[in-house]
Amino acid sequence: MIIGLSNTAFEYKGTIQDIIWLFYPGAELVAEDKGDFLLQLNLSQEVEFNLWAEAQLYVNGASLAQREEGHPLIPAEVPNELKRLARMAVYKILVSYSGTTPSPWGIMTGIRPTKVVHRLLDLGWSKQNVENYLLDKYALRPDKTQLITSVTEIQRPLLLSKKQAKKLVGVYIGIPFCPSRCLYCSFPSYSIKRHRDMVDPFLKALLQEIQVIGETLRSQGLLVQSIYLGGGTPTSLNCEQLQSLLEAIQLSLKDDSTIEMTVEGGRPDTLNEDVFALLANAGVNRLSINPQSMNQKTLDIIGRAHTVEDIYRSVETARNYKFPTLNMDLIIGLPGETVQDVARTMESILQLKPENLTVHALALKRASNLKQRLAEFPLLQAEEAVAMWQETARGATALGQHPYYMYRQKQMVGNLENIGYALPGHECIYNIQMIEERQTIIGLGVGAGSKWMDPDTWTLVNEYNAKDPRQYVERLDEYIERKLHHIRELSTKQ
């Protein structure tokens, strides 16, 4: 489909494109009066911050119009409020024209919908007023409104104050190797068998980055609250390599303020008694064993080199080492799976009783093999995805868990969300701080992103290390120097 945009509408193309694509996925937007229909958009600011946006839709000689009025919560937010009004006007006119409401999230197409709620709570709003605002100003469905307000209610006591955020940071360490690449994966991930020659140079560079950054943090009086080893699959390293990494973390990054250390064991085929012993001795207190599905046919399709029995074995062994928190990840919408398959997966998860459960809705990414094989593995219809989501939500409730963090991605099946559940007291601190962006997160290793937070304004700068191990090694000095600058800058805020 081709949709013509008026000059003003085209100026706001970046603002309204996601809304249009909710109704017409992938529609081509052109700055001229051509296409299946024409969309006009006018916006204005009047006296005392009274704002309005009006959308007009012209189709086959007929027209529809929708006007939205509002005002910013604070004067500095005039541009953002104009964008919200534009999105709402376009959304409502397309609902009227199409007769459908394609997303339970209304005009909230961003990654972090909970940030809106935290901002309103910071202004002293009550939970009820926040819910009413979301229903009215963002067109959220009531169940999604209740979901994000309940999530933020759990998060509030765990967020840092501005004073704490000037002192405490989180650290993410990216290990770019896996036993094999999963069909849906879009992360920086390299088969450790095919790229074994990369591992030692990468690890040498990573240990240097850990040492220099750790020493600088301490010299500047900054403390590490949480450490997260992700990837890839960190436990795909051999025991000698893994031990050297864990020792470097212990020596350079951990301190008395480090209350959480997560390792993505991820793939059960990388876990054995020796690996569990190393992790336990290093003080890992949150371990992820991520099956994604407990159906063998699905594991085979997505390229997993382990069995369902391996998952049970790994969890049993992990329990023997008494890791305080066990997390398990699932994905709904995997190729070939049905609602019944997801129900069977949840029956298995209920037997394993993890303290954390993270449920992802499959997102179609350009860098994934799945994107190239859609003819082979067509995506689910929205109704099936929602039914799967409901199965996982029921399972989490049966485990006594509550939703404690969430985020959304582009092209998710069913326009759903990724959601983390936890038993009380087992919420992942790193996940909350990273998603809500109320803390500096320092990314070390391949593909690792850093979020440099200004605690006075809650504004941030995002920076990334290279996704290729060779480029990471070659540019290491640049990455280190950049981080040292930001660390020194953060220390001046204390």
Side-chain angles (χ1 to χ4, degrees), residues 293-358:
S293 171
M294 295 294 285
N295 295 291
Q296 189 61 53
K297 65 174 185 177
T298 305
L299 298 179
D300 295 339
I301 288 173
I302 65 177
R304 290 274 175 150
H306 64 80
T307 66
V308 171
E309 288 71 27
D310 290 333
I311 299 167
Y312 281 104
R313 171 190 55 77
S314 294
V315 171
E316 181 181 1
T317 308
R319 292 302 191 193
N320 292 337
Y321 282 88
K322 300 189 181 341
F323 294 97
T325 299
L326 174 66
N327 173 73
M328 302 188 80
D329 280 12
L330 303 176
I331 299 178
I332 60 174
L334 288 171
E337 287 223 319
T338 65
V339 176
Q340 290 72 31
D341 290 324
V342 174
R344 281 192 293 271
T345 288
M346 290 312 303
E347 289 174 6
S348 298
I349 298 299
L350 287 171
Q351 296 175 34
L352 296 171
K353 297 181 179 178
E355 288 76 26
N356 275 190
L357 180 66
T358 308

Side-chain angles (χ1 to χ4, degrees), residues 157-317:
L158 301 174
L159 295 181
L160 301 180
S161 66
K162 291 187 174 183
K163 182 178 180 181
Q164 290 171 318
K166 295 175 181 180
K167 193 83 172 176
L168 293 171
V169 303
V171 173
Y172 175 84
I173 300 173
I175 310 298
F177 302 105
C178 269
S180 61
R181 188 172 179 84
C182 294
L183 181 67
Y184 54 80
C185 183
S186 62
F187 290 104
S189 177
Y190 299 80
S191 166
I192 199 162
K193 293 179 181 178
R194 291 176 55 194
H195 301 280
R196 195 169 297 279
D197 61 316
M198 292 183 179
V199 179
D200 284 336
F202 156 74
L203 189 58
K204 180 180 179 182
L206 176 60
L207 296 183
Q208 181 182 344
E209 191 178 24
I210 289 172
Q211 179 184 356
V212 174
I213 298 307
E215 289 175 353
T216 307
L217 287 172
R218 287 178 181 171
S219 70
Q220 299 298 317
L222 297 172
L223 304 171
V224 177
Q225 183 188 35
S226 64
I227 300 169
Y228 193 107
L229 271 73
T233 307
T235 48
S236 61
L237 300 175
N238 66 38
C239 283
E240 183 180 352
Q241 293 162 341
L242 184 60
Q243 182 172 5
S244 65
L245 173 58
L246 294 170
E247 287 175 351
I249 292 169
Q250 180 71 36
L251 183 64
S252 299
L253 295 176
K254 289 186 73 175
D255 54 56
D256 292 342
S257 296
T258 307
I259 60 174
E260 179 182 271
M261 183 171 172
T262 296
V263 172
E264 285 190 356
R267 305 281 286 268
D269 42 322
T270 67
L271 300 172
N272 56 42
E273 289 275 358
D274 292 337
V275 171
F276 284 127
L278 283 174
L279 299 179
N281 291 336
V284 172
N285 56 7
R286 184 174 182 272
L287 175 66
S288 289
I289 299 176
N290 302 332
Q292 315 304 4
S293 171
M294 295 294 285
N295 295 291
Q296 189 61 53
K297 65 174 185 177
T298 305
L299 298 179
D300 295 339
I301 288 173
I302 65 177
R304 290 274 175 150
H306 64 80
T307 66
V308 171
E309 288 71 27
D310 290 333
I311 299 167
Y312 281 104
R313 171 190 55 77
S314 294
V315 171
E316 181 181 1
T317 308

